[in-house]
Amino acid sequence: MKRSNKTIVLIIVWIGKWPWYFPYFLYSCKFNSSIDFIILTDNDDIPINISSNIKFIYYSLDDFKKDASDTLGFNVEIEKGYKLCDFKPAYGCIFPELISKYDFWGHCDIDIIFGNIRSFLSNKVLNKYDVISARHDYLTGSFALYKNGLLNNVLFKESKDYRRVYTNTQNFCFDETNFAFKPFEAGFHYSKIITEVESMTHVVKRLDEEKIIKAYFEFQILEGLAGNMLWENGRLIYRNQVEIMFYHLISLKCIYTEELDINKMLPERYRIGKNKIYYR
């Protein structure tokens, strides 16, 4: 008898206008039909034809401040949407009604184009691990999963600095490394990487080492201006030989743009070059 997949929901909170690449994100979500995406936003420009696994909920920054403050028990400080990055690890705590029926909840950015997520996150992986990152060296804010449970949903509280992070308008890159990317990339032990606040990477690596949780760190993404990628029917292939889980447009979006069309019809096959996206 075939075992059913572990259920997954990814939560996105987006404040403001949609960027040009948003249709690419949505289209790639559509092809991951066994995973649900919930987008909370104050933008009322919603696509006409939405895949059944994507749900939009109207939601303002003031709504988030109230919900987060009520849930955490103190007044949170947030003035701009970008500060939401610090709150991503707390989404499971802040939005319990949205995650209640799922085995895993997570967060992701919208400046990414997914391949086939399930090709990388099999039931074997999901059965074994509590926290899943898309990189081998630190916890990724662009995509991370947490097993739905009492400890994991409040794992952010294991940081001695979480109250400071959530009561300060400054962005601390708390969901990742508190900007200590280079030391983690270089392989230094988390205890030797001294930062202004104890980030989620510090927390997850520490608790994994203490055997309180099991964390999965595996390199499954492309970033930068890699180029030579083919997206075809929900799969993302690099150099015609390596399948990847998703491409993070963090660099490409700075040098390339298109006119936004929220209902843009994308082909079932296109290529991502070093400085553009093209169809042929």
Side-chain angles (χ1 to χ4, degrees):
M1 181 177 178
K2 186 178 180 180
R3 299 177 62 186
S4 59
N5 283 330
K6 292 290 185 180
T7 53
I8 299 172
V9 61
L10 288 164
I11 298 173
I12 300 103
V13 185
W14 182 268
I15 304 300
K17 297 180 179 180
W18 301 123
W20 66 265
Y21 44 81
F22 188 52
Y24 290 92
F25 169 76
L26 290 179
Y27 195 48
S28 70
C29 294
K30 174 183 177 180
F31 281 79
N32 286 281
S33 58
S34 68
I35 296 173
D36 288 342
F37 297 82
I38 300 178
I39 303 172
L40 300 100
T41 181
D42 65 347
N43 193 321
D44 56 9
D45 186 13
I46 305 302
I48 295 173
N49 296 312
I50 305 172
S51 176
S52 60
N53 65 321
I54 303 171
K55 180 180 181 180
F56 285 85
I57 299 174
Y58 187 83
Y59 197 73
S60 69
L61 195 59
D62 285 340
D63 290 332
F64 182 85
K65 289 172 68 174
K66 182 181 185 306
D67 287 345
S69 296
D70 290 347
T71 301
L72 297 175
F74 53 82
N75 290 328
V76 305
E77 293 294 334
I78 177 170
E79 294 177 349
K80 297 180 180 179
Y82 191 64
K83 174 65 177 177
L84 289 165
C85 293
D86 281 344
F87 287 90
K88 288 176 182 176
Y91 283 177
C93 177
I94 297 170
F95 303 116
E97 71 286 354
L98 297 184
I99 71 167
S100 61
K101 66 179 183 179
Y102 296 94
D103 298 313
F104 279 82
W105 65 270
H107 53 76
C108 68
D109 291 337
I110 65 172
D111 62 342
I112 60 180
I113 297 173
F114 283 115
N116 187 339
I117 297 173
R118 293 283 187 182
S119 292
F120 296 85
L121 302 182
S122 64
N123 273 351
K124 182 177 181 180
V125 171
L126 296 175
N127 282 326
K128 184 175 181 180
Y129 296 98
D130 300 293
V131 180
I132 294 171
S133 174
R135 285 186 61 105
H136 65 292
D137 42 12
Y138 58 79
L139 193 63
T140 41
S142 56
F143 178 95
L145 290 183
Y146 296 81
K147 183 173 288 186
N148 194 353
L150 293 177
L151 173 61
N152 298 324
N153 295 356
V154 293
L155 207 62
F156 63 93
K157 292 185 178 181
E158 296 296 321
S159 168
K160 61 182 176 60
D161 300 306
Y162 85 93
R163 290 178 71 100
R164 177 187 173 189
V165 171
Y166 291 160
T167 56
N168 192 314
T169 58
Q170 175 184 343
N171 187 299
F172 290 95
C173 190
F174 177 65
D175 57 323
E176 294 185 312
T177 67
N178 189 213
F179 303 107
F181 298 109
K182 294 300 182 182
F184 279 108
E185 289 172 5
F188 289 103
H189 192 267
Y190 71 88
S191 64
K192 304 299 182 182
I193 301 175
I194 308 304
T195 50
E196 184 178 358
V197 301
E198 186 181 25
S199 74
M200 284 303 297
T201 298
H202 287 87
V203 168
V204 170
K205 285 186 174 285
R206 172 168 56 82
L207 295 183
D208 179 66
E209 188 173 81
E210 294 171 357
K211 301 189 183 307
I212 295 173
I213 63 170
K214 289 185 177 180
Y216 185 69
F217 289 91
E218 185 61 58
F219 200 82
Q220 303 172 110
I221 66 173
L222 277 182
E223 295 182 298
L225 301 174
N228 204 357
M229 278 173 278
L230 171 68
W231 189 95
E232 184 172 21
N233 291 313
R235 295 181 67 212
L236 193 54
I237 309 296
Y238 179 55
R239 291 185 174 178
N240 297 318
Q241 55 185 324
V242 180
E243 186 169 2
I244 56 177
M245 188 165 73
F246 67 87
Y247 174 54
H248 193 188
L249 288 80
I250 190 166
S251 297
L252 183 65
K253 69 183 182 182
C254 295
I255 64 170
Y256 175 72
T257 188
E258 297 178 5
E259 183 177 352
L260 172 65
D261 177 0
I262 197 67
N263 295 303
K264 185 181 183 72
M265 298 294 293
L266 293 169
E268 295 180 347
R269 174 189 173 100
Y270 62 84
R271 293 190 176 274
I272 306 169
K274 289 188 175 182
N275 55 16
K276 66 180 294 186
I277 296 174
Y278 52 97
Y279 318 139
R280 63 177 174 84

